Amino acid sequence: MRGTDQQQVHVFSYISPEQRVRKDHPLRPIRTMVDKVLKELSPEFNKMYSKVGRPSIPPEQLLRALLLQMLYSVRSERMLIEEIDYNILFRWFVGLNLDDAVWDATVFTKNRDRLLEAEVAKDFLALVVEQARGQGWASDEHFTVDGSLLEAWASAKSFQPKNKKGSPPDDPGNPTVDYRGEKRSNETHESKSDPEAQMARKGAGKEAKLSYSGNLLVENRNGLIVDSRVWEATGTAERYAALEMLQELPGSGRVTVGGDKGFDTADFVRECRNMWVTPHVAQNLGRRGGSAIDSRTTRQGGYVISQKKRKRIEECFGWLKTIALMRKVRHRGTLKVDWIFTFACAAYNLVRMRNLMRNVVPT
């Protein structure tokens, strides 16, 4: 540089992602609630990670990134990493500065799998529900249960006879399979890609697909998800999962539970009453032997209210399948599918609670 030249110095003021995101952005109340949950989970995170070796992605940032993936319907981890790289809003929510390096997609997936092996999703959902109860948004007396099929990440071609030893396929990448004249069932066949997935159909005349059974327990005041279960898609999975979730409800007082006609069975009604749960399920008068509940239950005003409120659970399934992309899960195995489904339920609650905040009239 010549001594006679004048050096021009430009001073740029650094604006953090926190300052760039406007104060009334819809993600701000969600981040505030997430901050409280992650603060409670911090002791658990310390137990999961070793103090030696290469530094890994902080679990808090992993969970925040997974929330963004569900809230904005990002189809893959690779697309999520690209969004975080150039999207200031995503960087702010995750907790990265503008000049911080973003993780590699493979590293992100490996670190995420470590979380899938822990009970973080259940604890996360429980703490979100606890916040809702603290605000008086969640009922502790009236609930609804239901289940829905989640399509597994496995094709129908992978559903083959158990212990089959045959000739190699004509095309290893996409083999030709002929099912004509072959009787297939979950007792004789299993998926080679995901053995825990079961062939099931939504109803008579519907196409059978490899699926899991996703089950929800929703409170009736504002339609918040209180608990969730993912089981193998058997014919009785919905009822058994519902009983398990009802049994884990806190408190010892009597509660009510609504449901559709699929829960109107003698066994389910009897077990509910043994747990001090009043079954407000829809009557299935067309079944052999008639309905398992009589006019002593249906004539009550609370039964009519439960039947109206139980429709809210369909809104939960609709959001989970369309927005959170749970219609076809991208994980294999009951435990991993249950983890990601439970975490998606927590994401739904955060969105619902944010909307409830907007409806609160300041006094």
Side-chain angles (χ1 to χ4, degrees), residues 29-49:
I30 293 180
R31 181 179 171 178
T32 302
M33 291 183 286
V34 172
D35 289 342
K36 296 179 182 178
V37 173
L38 295 180
K39 184 177 180 180
E40 295 288 336
L41 292 177
S42 181
E44 297 298 325
F45 295 148
N46 295 332
K47 300 177 184 177
M48 295 169 52
Y49 286 80

mmCIF file of all heavy atoms in Angstrom, residues 29-49:
data_model
loop_
_atom_site.group_PDB
_atom_site.id
_atom_site.type_symbol
_atom_site.label_atom_id
_atom_site.label_comp_id
_atom_site.label_asym_id
_atom_site.label_seq_id
_atom_site.Cartn_x
_atom_site.Cartn_y
_atom_site.Cartn_z
ATOM 1 N N PRO A 29 -43.312 -16.674 20.469
ATOM 2 C CA PRO A 29 -43.888 -17.357 21.644
ATOM 3 C C PRO A 29 -43.558 -18.839 21.692
ATOM 4 O O PRO A 29 -43.410 -19.406 22.774
ATOM 5 C CB PRO A 29 -45.395 -17.117 21.483
ATOM 6 C CG PRO A 29 -45.595 -16.770 20.044
ATOM 7 C CD PRO A 29 -44.350 -16.076 19.620
ATOM 8 N N ILE A 30 -43.422 -19.472 20.519
ATOM 9 C CA ILE A 30 -43.052 -20.890 20.508
ATOM 10 C C ILE A 30 -41.637 -21.066 21.046
ATOM 11 O O ILE A 30 -41.370 -21.971 21.850
ATOM 12 C CB ILE A 30 -43.174 -21.471 19.084
ATOM 13 C CG1 ILE A 30 -44.644 -21.498 18.654
ATOM 14 C CG2 ILE A 30 -42.579 -22.874 19.017
ATOM 15 C CD1 ILE A 30 -44.858 -22.053 17.268
ATOM 16 N N ARG A 31 -40.731 -20.190 20.638
ATOM 17 C CA ARG A 31 -39.358 -20.299 21.135
ATOM 18 C C ARG A 31 -39.306 -20.061 22.639
ATOM 19 O O ARG A 31 -38.529 -20.702 23.351
ATOM 20 C CB ARG A 31 -38.453 -19.320 20.406
ATOM 21 C CG ARG A 31 -37.011 -19.428 20.875
ATOM 22 C CD ARG A 31 -36.069 -18.503 20.185
ATOM 23 N NE ARG A 31 -34.769 -18.530 20.847
ATOM 24 C CZ ARG A 31 -33.720 -17.841 20.437
ATOM 25 N NH1 ARG A 31 -33.796 -17.074 19.373
ATOM 26 N NH2 ARG A 31 -32.579 -17.896 21.103
ATOM 27 N N THR A 32 -40.113 -19.148 23.137
ATOM 28 C CA THR A 32 -40.130 -18.898 24.577
ATOM 29 C C THR A 32 -40.547 -20.145 25.344
ATOM 30 O O THR A 32 -39.939 -20.497 26.369
ATOM 31 C CB THR A 32 -41.080 -17.732 24.897
ATOM 32 O OG1 THR A 32 -40.656 -16.561 24.191
ATOM 33 C CG2 THR A 32 -41.093 -17.445 26.387
ATOM 34 N N MET A 33 -41.577 -20.837 24.851
ATOM 35 C CA MET A 33 -42.017 -22.067 25.512
ATOM 36 C C MET A 33 -40.970 -23.166 25.389
ATOM 37 O O MET A 33 -40.744 -23.936 26.327
ATOM 38 C CB MET A 33 -43.356 -22.519 24.920
ATOM 39 C CG MET A 33 -44.516 -21.604 25.254
ATOM 40 S SD MET A 33 -46.102 -22.210 24.620
ATOM 41 C CE MET A 33 -45.931 -21.857 22.858
ATOM 42 N N VAL A 34 -40.315 -23.237 24.233
ATOM 43 C CA VAL A 34 -39.285 -24.256 24.030
ATOM 44 C C VAL A 34 -38.095 -23.991 24.952
ATOM 45 O O VAL A 34 -37.496 -24.942 25.487
ATOM 46 C CB VAL A 34 -38.846 -24.275 22.551
ATOM 47 C CG1 VAL A 34 -37.632 -25.180 22.358
ATOM 48 C CG2 VAL A 34 -39.996 -24.764 21.676
ATOM 49 N N ASP A 35 -37.739 -22.730 25.159
ATOM 50 C CA ASP A 35 -36.631 -22.395 26.054
ATOM 51 C C ASP A 35 -36.882 -22.940 27.459
ATOM 52 O O ASP A 35 -35.973 -23.468 28.110
ATOM 53 C CB ASP A 35 -36.425 -20.882 26.116
ATOM 54 C CG ASP A 35 -35.857 -20.331 24.814
ATOM 55 O OD1 ASP A 35 -35.308 -21.118 24.017
ATOM 56 O OD2 ASP A 35 -35.963 -19.101 24.597
ATOM 57 N N LYS A 36 -38.115 -22.819 27.934
ATOM 58 C CA LYS A 36 -38.436 -23.314 29.276
ATOM 59 C C LYS A 36 -38.325 -24.834 29.347
ATOM 60 O O LYS A 36 -37.834 -25.385 30.335
ATOM 61 C CB LYS A 36 -39.853 -22.869 29.660
ATOM 62 C CG LYS A 36 -40.020 -21.362 29.787
ATOM 63 C CD LYS A 36 -41.453 -21.006 30.135
ATOM 64 C CE LYS A 36 -41.635 -19.495 30.225
ATOM 65 N NZ LYS A 36 -43.045 -19.125 30.528
ATOM 66 N N VAL A 37 -38.775 -25.504 28.295
ATOM 67 C CA VAL A 37 -38.707 -26.966 28.281
ATOM 68 C C VAL A 37 -37.263 -27.436 28.252
ATOM 69 O O VAL A 37 -36.863 -28.341 29.000
ATOM 70 C CB VAL A 37 -39.490 -27.522 27.078
ATOM 71 C CG1 VAL A 37 -39.292 -29.029 26.957
ATOM 72 C CG2 VAL A 37 -40.974 -27.204 27.216
ATOM 73 N N LEU A 38 -36.449 -26.849 27.377
ATOM 74 C CA LEU A 38 -35.058 -27.277 27.252
ATOM 75 C C LEU A 38 -34.257 -26.981 28.519
ATOM 76 O O LEU A 38 -33.309 -27.706 28.841
ATOM 77 C CB LEU A 38 -34.420 -26.591 26.051
ATOM 78 C CG LEU A 38 -34.996 -26.976 24.684
ATOM 79 C CD1 LEU A 38 -34.279 -26.224 23.575
ATOM 80 C CD2 LEU A 38 -34.890 -28.486 24.459
ATOM 81 N N LYS A 39 -34.616 -25.942 29.240
ATOM 82 C CA LYS A 39 -33.951 -25.648 30.504
ATOM 83 C C LYS A 39 -34.213 -26.758 31.512
ATOM 84 O O LYS A 39 -33.318 -27.151 32.277
ATOM 85 C CB LYS A 39 -34.431 -24.301 31.050
ATOM 86 C CG LYS A 39 -33.714 -23.867 32.315
ATOM 87 C CD LYS A 39 -34.189 -22.491 32.772
ATOM 88 C CE LYS A 39 -33.462 -22.060 34.044
ATOM 89 N NZ LYS A 39 -33.919 -20.718 34.504
ATOM 90 N N GLU A 40 -35.435 -27.300 31.505
ATOM 91 C CA GLU A 40 -35.764 -28.407 32.398
ATOM 92 C C GLU A 40 -35.051 -29.695 31.991
ATOM 93 O O GLU A 40 -34.714 -30.528 32.838
ATOM 94 C CB GLU A 40 -37.277 -28.635 32.402
ATOM 95 C CG GLU A 40 -38.096 -27.489 32.974
ATOM 96 C CD GLU A 40 -37.965 -27.378 34.482
ATOM 97 O OE1 GLU A 40 -37.636 -28.394 35.120
ATOM 98 O OE2 GLU A 40 -38.187 -26.269 35.012
ATOM 99 N N LEU A 41 -34.830 -29.877 30.694
ATOM 100 C CA LEU A 41 -34.203 -31.099 30.201
ATOM 101 C C LEU A 41 -32.678 -31.041 30.208
ATOM 102 O O LEU A 41 -32.031 -32.046 29.891
ATOM 103 C CB LEU A 41 -34.678 -31.388 28.770
ATOM 104 C CG LEU A 41 -36.148 -31.765 28.597
ATOM 105 C CD1 LEU A 41 -36.461 -31.937 27.119
ATOM 106 C CD2 LEU A 41 -36.479 -33.038 29.349
ATOM 107 N N SER A 42 -32.111 -29.908 30.544
ATOM 108 C CA SER A 42 -30.657 -29.755 30.489
ATOM 109 C C SER A 42 -29.906 -30.804 31.303
ATOM 110 O O SER A 42 -28.889 -31.343 30.832
ATOM 111 C CB SER A 42 -30.269 -28.344 30.951
ATOM 112 O OG SER A 42 -28.873 -28.151 30.883
ATOM 113 N N PRO A 43 -30.326 -31.157 32.522
ATOM 114 C CA PRO A 43 -29.610 -32.217 33.258
ATOM 115 C C PRO A 43 -29.597 -33.559 32.528
ATOM 116 O O PRO A 43 -28.619 -34.303 32.621
ATOM 117 C CB PRO A 43 -30.370 -32.306 34.584
ATOM 118 C CG PRO A 43 -31.006 -30.968 34.742
ATOM 119 C CD PRO A 43 -31.371 -30.546 33.357
ATOM 120 N N GLU A 44 -30.672 -33.876 31.811
ATOM 121 C CA GLU A 44 -30.705 -35.131 31.061
ATOM 122 C C GLU A 44 -29.737 -35.108 29.897
ATOM 123 O O GLU A 44 -29.118 -36.125 29.568
ATOM 124 C CB GLU A 44 -32.125 -35.395 30.563
ATOM 125 C CG GLU A 44 -33.153 -35.581 31.663
ATOM 126 C CD GLU A 44 -32.841 -36.795 32.527
ATOM 127 O OE1 GLU A 44 -32.336 -37.793 31.968
ATOM 128 O OE2 GLU A 44 -33.112 -36.747 33.738
ATOM 129 N N PHE A 45 -29.587 -33.957 29.270
ATOM 130 C CA PHE A 45 -28.648 -33.849 28.148
ATOM 131 C C PHE A 45 -27.208 -34.051 28.602
ATOM 132 O O PHE A 45 -26.399 -34.636 27.885
ATOM 133 C CB PHE A 45 -28.797 -32.485 27.476
ATOM 134 C CG PHE A 45 -30.131 -32.266 26.828
ATOM 135 C CD1 PHE A 45 -30.697 -30.998 26.756
ATOM 136 C CD2 PHE A 45 -30.837 -33.328 26.289
ATOM 137 C CE1 PHE A 45 -31.926 -30.792 26.154
ATOM 138 C CE2 PHE A 45 -32.069 -33.130 25.694
ATOM 139 C CZ PHE A 45 -32.605 -31.870 25.624
ATOM 140 N N ASN A 46 -26.892 -33.591 29.796
ATOM 141 C CA ASN A 46 -25.528 -33.746 30.292
ATOM 142 C C ASN A 46 -25.155 -35.217 30.481
ATOM 143 O O ASN A 46 -23.982 -35.593 30.346
ATOM 144 C CB ASN A 46 -25.361 -32.993 31.616
ATOM 145 C CG ASN A 46 -25.501 -31.490 31.452
ATOM 146 O OD1 ASN A 46 -25.223 -30.944 30.380
ATOM 147 N ND2 ASN A 46 -25.926 -30.815 32.503
ATOM 148 N N LYS A 47 -26.134 -36.057 30.771
ATOM 149 C CA LYS A 47 -25.857 -37.480 30.961
ATOM 150 C C LYS A 47 -25.652 -38.208 29.634
ATOM 151 O O LYS A 47 -25.025 -39.261 29.598
ATOM 152 C CB LYS A 47 -27.023 -38.144 31.712
ATOM 153 C CG LYS A 47 -27.297 -37.561 33.085
ATOM 154 C CD LYS A 47 -28.511 -38.222 33.710
ATOM 155 C CE LYS A 47 -28.870 -37.592 35.047
ATOM 156 N NZ LYS A 47 -30.098 -38.206 35.626
ATOM 157 N N MET A 48 -26.181 -37.662 28.554
ATOM 158 C CA MET A 48 -26.150 -38.349 27.271
ATOM 159 C C MET A 48 -24.835 -38.180 26.536
ATOM 160 O O MET A 48 -24.493 -39.010 25.693
ATOM 161 C CB MET A 48 -27.300 -37.841 26.380
ATOM 162 C CG MET A 48 -28.680 -38.160 26.911
ATOM 163 S SD MET A 48 -29.959 -37.275 25.985
ATOM 164 C CE MET A 48 -29.550 -37.724 24.310
ATOM 165 N N TYR A 49 -24.090 -37.135 26.822
ATOM 166 C CA TYR A 49 -22.919 -36.803 26.027
ATOM 167 C C TYR A 49 -21.648 -36.969 26.847
ATOM 168 O O TYR A 49 -21.588 -36.584 28.016
ATOM 169 C CB TYR A 49 -23.008 -35.370 25.491
ATOM 170 C CG TYR A 49 -23.998 -35.240 24.364
ATOM 171 C CD1 TYR A 49 -25.355 -35.151 24.618
ATOM 172 C CD2 TYR A 49 -23.573 -35.241 23.051
ATOM 173 C CE1 TYR A 49 -26.266 -35.054 23.587
ATOM 174 C CE2 TYR A 49 -24.472 -35.133 22.009
ATOM 175 C CZ TYR A 49 -25.818 -35.035 22.286
ATOM 176 O OH TYR A 49 -26.719 -34.951 21.266
#
